[in-house]
Amino acid sequence: MVGLQNNNRLVAATLGVLCVLLVLAIAKMQISIIRADRLSSEAVQQSNARARTLSEYFVILQDVETGQRGYVVTGNPDFLEPMKAGLARVAEVGTRLRQQYAAGSKEAVLAEHLLMVGAAKVRHARVVADLRARGQTDEAAAMIRNLSGKRLMDDVRRKVAALQEAERNVSRAILLASAVDHEQRRLRVIAAEMALLLTAGALFTLLLLTLTKLDRTSRTRNDYAARQQAIFDHASDAMLMLDQEGMIISVNAAAERLFGRSADELVGQSNLSLFADPPPVEVSRAYLKGLIAGEASANPVQNFIGRRGDGTEFETEVVTTPVPLHDGLQFLAVGRDSTERRQVERMKSEFVATVSHELRTPLASISGSLGLLAGNPANELPAGARRLVEIALNNSHRLIRLINDMLDLEKIESNRMELREEAVDLRPLLERVIEENDGFAARHRIDVHLVSVPPRACVLADPDRMVQVFTNLLSNAIKFSPKGEQVDVRVVDAGTAWRISVEDHGPGIPEAFRNRIFGKFAQADGADARIHGGSGLGLSIVKEIVARTGGTVSFDSELGRGTRFHVDLPKLQTPAPADEAPVQQQPIADDGRRHFLHIEDDADALRVVGEAFAHIAEVHFSPSFAEAKAALRRFRFDAVLLDVALADGSGLDLVPLIRETSPGAPVILYTATDLGAAEVAMVDVAGVKSRTSLAELVARVEELIGVRAEAETRA
């Protein structure tokens, strides 16, 4: 119903806007009609003005012609008056005529010719009049008789007639076009007015329907409110409405029975009056604000000891939910007596713990015996029997993991899990987890990559429990990844926390399962436990351990693309290594093997180079300038491989420290950066990654180590 009302509002708003736009469009079209008519009228007036100017110019030339002829024939100077008046005006009228035509148009060219002929006619008339005035009557008469003036005047008459005809054509064309345009514009106005009428009608109809629906909705809401009130009043669970300060606004009959107080006694009191041991007011208000903000720490389900009006105490479970209303936000608290249920849960937990403890010893014996049978090469079992022993051993391990998970969960729920706090460096911890799961990953044909760990990524946590957390996440990622894929583990800086992400490329988590993925015994479907194994307790344990460490667990998943689990743990601020004098050097280990240090910030390069040198030395690595400096100050190495471009410095800056702390150790520069002569001179072996193969690099280092060992033997 709310969606329908929102749709109606949207349609009504659209129709209203459309009506306004149509009104504006009609007004604009009316204005355009008036403007077009005005422009047409002005164009016709301009054409008429040009025609009048042409007539005026022709009349002036006629006056000049008439005056000149009368004066020559009669000799009477009075005939010169119209000629003089015409000569006085001819230039001004000619200029006006020239200005009235657009430059470059055909009419302007014709007008220019007219003015040239008119000017010639004026000059001819002046010459004739001047001859008569000087008494040269015969010469003047001869000029008239040779018809040159008449030909000029006839030419003027033809050009004036042509221009006037052009102006009449222009006026007719303007009037015709104006009439057609006026009719088209008028039709568009009529169409817009019809659209306006239809839109207004639709808007009126919609408003009428909306009012009808609102009336029906109002009645439905009243009925719904009445039903809700009946549910509230007669529910078996206690219900209390609270304001944002935690004050009780209303209660139902079940709440009166549960707390042994009347509604009059409860309404207006703080919810803290219902606690046997109430928390501080500030804590209660912060909890309600956390519910509004949706904070993970503000669990809506709370268990506490309640107190009845007669002073007796009881265990109660309360679910608090924000309820947004028109007059403000309120909270609905629904509670029930959980004393009996929690006693049953405690009995169940104790039973599970007892059974689990009792099962541990025989299972350990069974697993140990099977392990001895399977692992003793001298014990020649038939192939079938050996296979059965391996199956039994695997399933005994599975049972032991299930029992350990159940015991851990029981410890968590009973608040008996002890977490010791110490500084944990995430890199070695994650490397340990990956190494311990290497065999499991190999059986599933999955590659596990530690992609990146920032320098000094440390947290305050229980290292054994953190191993348990990331082992669970990593084993899940391996189990749910297709064969041949890889699982990526990375640590990124998330502001006040380190985010440790475990990413697989499996099928993803079904949408329907996501809201219960951290629940106990949770499996996406019944086939998961059979196909992938597991108890469904791992993620529940992960969430509880991380929460008790002060962190959070979340995930991103896309069906068919994979899943990323994120563990956010508060940062432990550790000081950077001080630039102090080297401490007393010591071998990294007295195991008779060579020990190399590889300084490189690319995880894949570290792994590949480590494998390449594994047959001649134990390769240790430092992914940053600062960690490498600390390692060099503490230990002596038999050789040091280094990159140039590290995130926090240049590897070449470590060469003097290497020479000082590990004297005689070859320095091998293996970098993607092109090297100059100065850089090559600083080290014993130099190679560019894109040009020097690992085989070449290993051969050169072996040769160098052999040469130095031989020299030391001779010495």
Side-chain angles (χ1 to χ4, degrees), residues 466-483:
M466 287 297 103
V467 168
Q468 183 179 4
V469 164
F470 295 115
T471 296
N472 277 336
L473 293 178
L474 186 58
S475 63
N476 273 355
I478 293 171
K479 285 190 295 186
F480 288 96
S481 292
K483 295 185 185 304

Side-chain angles (χ1 to χ4, degrees), residues 576-581 625 629 633:
D579 291 330
E580 56 191 17
F625 186 94
K629 183 184 288 187
R633 291 183 184 281

Side-chain angles (χ1 to χ4, degrees), residues 374-410:
N376 187 356
N379 190 1
E380 297 183 358
L381 292 173
R386 179 172 294 279
R387 176 60 182 155
L388 291 175
V389 168
E390 290 175 352
I391 292 173
L393 180 61
N394 289 336
N395 280 280
S396 67
H397 288 163
R398 182 177 171 187
L399 279 173
I400 290 172
R401 287 195 298 271
L402 172 60
I403 288 170
N404 287 335
D405 285 347
M406 292 175 66
L407 287 173
D408 283 340
L409 197 59
E410 190 274 330

Side-chain angles (χ1 to χ4, degrees), residues 57 90-100 115:
Y57 188 72
V90 69
E92 180 268 326
V93 174
T95 301
R96 190 186 339 138
L97 184 63
R98 184 179 286 113
Q99 292 173 346
Q100 287 176 329
L115 293 175

Side-chain angles (χ1 to χ4, degrees), residues 93 162 214 217 226 289 312 356 386 406 461 464 468 505 521 535 558 597 715:
V93 174
L214 285 176
T217 302
K289 290 180 180 178
T312 58
S356 299
R386 179 172 294 279
M406 292 175 66
D464 293 334
Q468 183 179 4
H505 300 86
F521 302 102
S535 63
E558 187 175 351
L597 176 64

Side-chain angles (χ1 to χ4, degrees), residues 491-503:
V491 182
V492 298
D493 191 335
T496 60
W498 295 113
R499 166 163 286 194
I500 306 97
S501 301
V502 179
E503 178 180 6

Side-chain angles (χ1 to χ4, degrees), residues 284-331:
S284 174
R285 291 176 180 172
Y287 168 72
L288 295 178
K289 290 180 180 178
L291 286 178
I292 298 171
E295 296 175 0
S297 59
N299 191 338
V301 181
Q302 296 289 315
N303 294 284
F304 65 91
I305 305 299
R307 175 175 292 160
R308 296 188 175 92
D310 59 5
T312 58
E313 297 180 356
F314 63 100
E315 291 186 69
T316 182
E317 180 181 82
V318 178
V319 178
T320 307
T321 308
V323 181
L325 301 173
H326 288 296
D327 56 350
L329 185 70
Q330 296 180 4
F331 296 89

